[in-house]
Amino acid sequence: MQWEIVIGLEVHTQLSTQSKIFSGASTAYGAAPNTQACEVDLALPGVLPVLNKGAVERAIKFGLSINAKINSPSIFARKNYFYPDLPKGYQISQFELPIVQGGNIHIQLDGEEKIIRLTRAHLEEDAGKSLHEDFHGMTGIDLNRAGTPLLEIVSEPDMRSSAEAVAYAKTLHTLVRWIGICDGNMQEGSFRCDANVSVRPMGSEKLGTRCEIKNLNSFRFLEKAIDFEARRQIEILEDGGLIRQETRLYDANKDQTRTMRSKEDANDYRYFPDPDLLPLEISHDWIEQLQKTLPELPQARRDRYSAQFGLSKYDASVLTGSREMADYFDTAVKLLPEHAKLCANWIMGEISGQLNKENMEITDCPVKPSDLVALLARISDGTISGKAAKTVFESLWQGEHGKNVDTIIATKGLKQISDDNAIEKLVDDVLAANPQQVEDYRNGKEKAFNSLIGQIMKATQGKANPAQVNAILKKKLTQ
Amino acid sequence: MLNASLKELSNQLTEKKISSVELTSLFLQRIKKFNSDYNAFITTNEEISLAQAAVADKILAAGKGEALTGIPIAQKDIFCAKGWLTTCGSKMLSNFVSPYDAGVIERFNQAGAVNIGKTNMDEFAMGSSNETSFYGMVKNPWDTKAVPGGSSGGAACAIAARLAPAATGTDTGGSIRQPAALCGISGIKPTYGLVSRYGMIAFASSLDQAGPMAKSAEDLSLLLNVMVGFDARDSTSLQRDNEDYGRDLQKPLAGLRIGLPKEYFAKGMSQDVESAIDKALTEYRKLGAETIEVALPNAPLSIPVYYVLAPAEASSNLSRFDGVRYGHRAESYTDLADMYRKSRAEGFGPEVKRRILIGTYVLSHGYYDAYYIKAQKLRRLIAQDFAEAYQHCDVIMGPTTPTVAFNLGEKSADPIQMYLSDIYTSAANLTGMPAMSIPVGFGENNRPVGLHIIGNYFKEAQLLNVAHQYQMVTDWHLKSPV
């Protein structure tokens, strides 16, 4: 039987506020345990939550960027359960009436675009951490993370493969960094995915029983966990078994998922509106004000790159992989508008390659957009060849010769021979020295042409303008 | 000095007839001597109290004293006070010394008042007789066989027994007004949101409101002036202009329309209470007020609504007492679940457990709509009844409690009977309206009777005016059992 995999993702994004969602304590990562937990985070008797406006603004920005509805009022609710790193014995979250409802995200996969619908995104507080090592049969509790603002983004079950799920997660990851609401640091847990996976016979309308996989802290694990889980479910069903609804944990070391808790063990969270927090009212003015602060979004930029510069969907999508890269491209192309494709190729090629190799961000790239443009201008005006340009690029990267492109070209003798007379003379010399190959070409041996080109380039140490050499040689041979 | 009003005390302090240290010592001595009779205080701390008094004396000496500077105030043990054991009447917090001050404590500190001690209370404010306190029952100074009421029973007792000139209380379903009535003192629960809840250990967040307890309406106005104010740390705190709650005390009552809800004068009220209330109403008519019958058809539902909502919120509010970070933790346990179970089983008393169970039940999947949501809808209907009644009257009056103070142990085995003590008071919490109780005579066994006065939102000054005018022509508020 043919099976269809159905995936929905829940992504917890840590919002990039300085202080916590309901207290004034710092959210900075990596401090000594419990040094960033104030009386509110510790849930001392009598303390009360006060909502962080910055967290609300970030949630609204997200909602606006995915064309969602911003609910006003939205309601904070208590999710009640006991766990040592949950200081109040309940998590303040949103249940009915989340701040963001609906919306959608466009993903690109193999040049195709697909729309993934979002169910909702709601604000909530993170829990602390339980530390099981170093305490000899006891558990340490670190409440530094308790109260860190999270936006939980829930998709509809609209994805049909692990590749789509990864594309969605990456698009979302780009978006939240793009609009500046989350630093996206997956190692530090700023962007965490849970995947709801089910399978069903191809063509069936009815959703299969789903399992939720937790602890997916990289795109690779997301992909592998979904693939493993789908295979597991298909095997069970093909053996005539039934899927049990449960929460599973992905074990990256073993590359498999295992049961964490079954539905029967699930908590009754006894959600109810938090009486300590008033319904959150969001005015039109506030929304409009935030709308104005939003940058041009990835989707809009992709469309603009295609329309304005004729870039392919693929190129447009790679360039908008991060706001920083797109900004780099925009700065460059503004200086060299007639050569957008050349800019794009160099950014996606040399620049990205070198950044990857050195594990650097584009914002730290030693070759600034103006440097790159100066280089590309010399390619486009024929001063240097593409090959020589790579040498110039390396020099620029190393910061040689004051990063002056023309100085580098001159110093390294990379100037291309583009003078027609000079090239004609070169061609004549080579033709005179190789009568046999000229003969061969005229007798229909196309290969002989390339050999003659090779000889000319060799004679000039590759500095002759290839296009001109080509044209002049062709002209001479047909004379 | 023991019977002096706050104004008189303040004058004595300002005129240097007595120092704050002397005044504070006087009350500390009385507490030392008599607390064993009443058990009104859980904690006293002479060192801190006298240090505060010494600071107050300096302020007074510099001529910078305010209305409450140097005056000892008893604080209910529900308010976190830095450096003070803060138990909330529970074993669970028997080892909790607060590292911070509640908003209310801060305001009293800023006003130069002296914290004379932490008063006894029903455990986590859950009770109407002060019998649920882990620290033992409080006795009614008028008759030590009787309960003082609750949950602010220690506070009411301390004032009646002249162990403190004034006190703070908190009121979730009547916890200021009911003990005030049973101990023959005055107490007011302000409009929800006026007094900061920050640092006041939560029982039912949407109902809890702190307020003052004292001998007279005039004293209450001075205390309220200090207690009320916006606190950014409490999201339900209201941002309003400052008021002088004593500004209308002298206003004559001619033309005042007093609404008498027929539901509050129905069966259930005892004869002695009814006759004292009737006499008080006669006094009001003499002062020029008119009484008119109003209807609060849904008010009788207050108790069932209250006993769904308050436990629901409490069940969640009390989850933080888990033995993990502070408070009582069982000595031995096998695993995490066992630690929770034992710590909470040992740390909470039976009434608290009962309410956690009720609250957990009404919030459970499948019961939430039938209980919690329905109760919220009824809450709104009750508020609409009051809004309608205020179309026809200025204040609403009735008995604060259906009977005078009952005997210790009399109702402790029957929670339903106990819950009915709050039958007249809980509506003001459900609606958020201000309400107060003042003494208006004595009933059976010479135990005090309280008159309940409910006002519309933010009408505290009017309530105090109505109470003060009565106290100007009567002397019930001046009676003391000691």
Side-chain angles (χ1 to χ4, degrees), chain A residues 142-259:
Chain A
D142 177 6
L143 295 175
N144 281 353
R145 198 181 66 182
T148 299
L150 299 176
L151 186 68
E152 179 175 337
I153 301 164
V154 183
S155 84
E156 290 288 301
D158 279 358
M159 288 151 277
R160 296 291 175 266
S161 67
S162 59
E164 282 188 7
V166 168
Y168 165 78
K170 283 186 171 168
T171 306
L172 192 60
H173 187 246
T174 299
L175 179 66
V176 294
R177 284 178 305 147
W178 191 287
I179 60 176
I181 65 166
C182 169
D183 69 16
N185 190 326
M186 295 177 85
Q187 269 97 46
E188 291 175 7
S190 300
F191 189 92
R192 315 195 283 267
C193 301
D194 299 338
N196 282 296
V197 179
S198 66
V199 298
R200 64 182 171 191
M202 193 62 86
S204 164
E205 291 282 310
K206 200 169 155 266
L207 289 169
T209 304
R210 71 188 150 86
C211 291
E212 184 182 3
I213 317 169
K214 295 234 174 239
N215 195 30
L216 304 170
N217 56 8
S218 80
F219 297 126
R220 203 165 61 89
F221 292 165
L222 174 64
E223 182 173 17
K224 293 179 103 171
I226 290 170
D227 286 340
F228 173 87
E229 180 60 20
R231 272 200 310 278
R232 186 187 75 87
Q233 293 186 13
I234 290 168
E235 275 169 26
I236 290 173
L237 292 171
E238 290 190 335
D239 289 348
L242 287 172
I243 307 298
R244 282 200 320 159
Q245 188 176 333
E246 60 188 9
T247 304
R248 299 179 68 84
L249 209 60
Y250 177 66
D251 183 336
N253 295 323
K254 295 183 182 157
D255 186 24
Q256 61 184 37
T257 64
R258 63 181 146 83
T259 302

Side-chain angles (χ1 to χ4, degrees), chain B residues 97-407:
Chain B
V97 175
S98 177
Y100 79 104
D101 279 329
V104 164
I105 299 288
E106 269 180 10
R107 296 187 73 89
F108 274 111
N109 288 345
Q110 278 157 14
V114 173
N115 183 348
I116 192 80
K118 304 290 290 290
T119 60
N120 206 340
M121 56 182 285
D122 279 297
E123 185 179 7
F124 285 106
M126 297 176 187
S128 307
S129 67
N130 230 295
E131 292 166 296
T132 73
S133 170
F134 174 69
Y135 303 90
M137 52 183 76
V138 176
K139 289 172 186 162
N140 192 319
W142 290 94
D143 183 343
T144 51
K145 292 193 296 293
V147 301
S151 65
S152 310
C157 169
I159 294 162
R162 304 296 188 251
L163 302 183
T168 55
T170 62
D171 191 315
T172 304
S175 282
I176 287 175
R177 294 160 287 156
Q178 187 256 16
L182 302 196
C183 288
I185 62 150
S186 305
I188 183 167
K189 178 201 87 73
T191 304
Y192 183 84
L194 283 187
V195 179
S196 168
R197 290 188 300 115
Y198 191 78
M200 173 178 135
I201 299 174
F203 160 16
S205 313
S206 75
L207 304 163
D208 295 344
Q209 185 62 205
M213 301 171 81
K215 292 189 284 284
S216 68
E218 183 194 70
D219 285 1
L220 292 178
S221 71
L222 295 172
L223 294 159
L224 212 48
N225 281 348
V226 167
M227 292 178 80
V228 170
F230 175 67
D231 186 343
R233 297 165 300 182
D234 172 2
S235 305
T236 61
S237 174
L238 295 165
Q239 220 161 351
R240 307 183 85 242
D241 290 339
N242 283 343
E243 282 185 49
D244 172 9
Y245 289 100
R247 67 184 186 272
D248 291 336
L249 288 179
Q250 310 306 335
K251 245 185 171 173
L253 297 187
L256 179 79
R257 298 170 304 164
I258 298 171
L260 304 176
K262 52 179 189 263
E263 293 79 6
Y264 287 176
F265 288 86
K267 63 175 173 18
M269 189 187 349
S270 63
Q271 202 66 59
D272 55 338
V273 169
E274 188 170 8
S275 103
I277 298 295
D278 278 347
K279 281 182 198 142
L281 293 173
T282 304
E283 205 63 56
Y284 271 108
R285 287 188 200 100
K286 277 197 247 165
L287 286 165
E290 57 169 316
T291 53
I292 43 177
E293 192 179 276
V294 293
L296 300 171
N298 293 295
L301 292 170
S302 294
I303 286 292
V305 168
Y306 176 83
Y307 276 98
V308 169
L309 297 180
E313 294 182 18
S315 70
S316 177
N317 281 334
L318 269 60
S319 293
R320 70 187 58 199
F321 305 110
D322 56 5
V324 173
R325 299 167 314 287
Y326 53 77
H328 177 75
R329 186 194 288 190
E331 271 191 30
S332 66
Y333 39 85
T334 54
D335 57 16
L336 176 64
D338 195 43
M339 185 189 96
Y340 283 148
R341 228 176 273 126
K342 281 193 181 140
S343 301
R344 287 168 66 82
E346 294 166 6
F348 291 138
E351 183 59 30
V352 171
K353 285 177 193 162
R354 182 177 3 254
R355 299 205 196 184
I356 291 174
L357 283 172
I358 294 170
T360 303
Y361 177 78
V362 301
L363 289 177
S364 295
H365 188 71
Y367 298 97
Y368 179 74
D369 287 348
Y371 290 104
Y372 184 84
I373 295 291
K374 181 153 274 181
Q376 289 289 22
K377 287 179 180 164
L378 285 168
R379 184 178 189 174
R380 182 159 296 183
L381 290 179
I382 293 166
Q384 282 170 4
D385 282 358
F386 276 88
E388 167 62 22
Y390 286 123
Q391 299 286 317
H392 311 288
C393 64
D394 302 307
V395 295
I396 288 170
M397 285 188 189
T400 307
T401 58
T403 65
V404 294
F406 43 93
N407 287 336

Side-chain angles (χ1 to χ4, degrees), chain A residues 290-333:
Chain A
L290 289 169
Q291 179 85 60
K292 282 181 202 152
T293 68
L294 277 181
E296 185 186 24
L297 297 171
Q299 180 67 28
R301 248 198 229 192
R302 274 197 288 277
D303 294 347
R304 179 163 66 79
Y305 288 173
S306 298
Q308 192 177 343
F309 305 119
L311 295 183
S312 71
K313 272 197 168 166
Y314 175 80
D315 287 356
S317 135
V318 172
L319 287 173
T320 52
S322 77
R323 188 172 160 195
E324 291 74 21
M325 187 186 285
D327 286 349
Y328 189 104
F329 172 73
D330 272 347
T331 312
V333 83

